[in-house]
Amino acid sequence: MEESQSFFERIHSEPVVLEIGGEVGALVLYTGPELRGKEIEVSPVQEPQRRTHTAVLERHFNGKQLFAAVFAALPAGIYTLWNLEGQAVGTVAIKGGCVNEVDWRQRQAESAPRSLTSS
């Protein structure tokens, strides 16, 4: 890796430490490469002003290239997902003690708000 390569440009192959358990879960939001280095925001549905953000990073896992934003610790509840323009684009249920996943790889950049399922 070159010294000049930024945190967002390098490939992240190290493990991600998740802080889950009890009433706290994690969210992994998969995206396409076009969102690499961009910050994704979520907020509790009832408190849209209380946003949490994290960057989409390139990761290699089990020999596969992935682009994902990882929210390592979110209290259980329903969250609004925000696009880069600050518009609500869906919701996700965060379950405590679980890694919840959302896949944006096939979505349109300006999709209408919708409910998303987590696994």
Side-chain angles (χ1 to χ4, degrees):
M1 181 174 81
E2 293 180 20
E3 294 266 341
S4 63
Q5 195 174 32
S6 82
F7 178 79
F8 300 113
E9 293 171 330
R10 76 176 179 85
I11 297 169
H12 297 262
S13 58
E14 64 275 3
V16 177
V17 177
L18 303 177
E19 301 172 30
I20 63 174
E23 291 299 311
V24 177
L27 173 62
V28 178
L29 191 145
Y30 301 101
T31 75
E34 69 280 357
L35 294 182
R36 178 188 197 176
K38 305 294 185 197
E39 291 196 347
I40 304 296
E41 292 183 317
V42 300
S43 67
V45 167
Q46 300 301 324
E47 299 178 79
Q49 73 286 357
R50 195 176 66 137
R51 296 186 187 182
T52 301
H53 66 269
T54 193
V56 173
L57 301 176
E58 180 178 351
R59 301 178 185 281
H60 284 190
F61 181 72
N62 286 340
K64 294 181 182 177
Q65 177 189 46
L66 297 170
F67 295 88
V70 178
F71 295 86
L74 292 172
I78 307 295
Y79 286 79
T80 300
L81 300 165
W82 301 90
N83 68 13
L84 300 180
E85 290 76 35
Q87 299 168 322
V89 292
T91 59
V92 61
I94 300 299
K95 298 173 188 161
C98 296
V99 176
N100 305 269
E101 298 176 289
V102 171
D103 193 336
W104 273 7
R105 290 175 285 195
Q106 300 301 317
R107 77 172 187 88
Q108 297 294 320
E110 292 301 319
S111 63
R114 57 192 158 87
S115 180
L116 304 170
T117 59
S118 60
S119 52

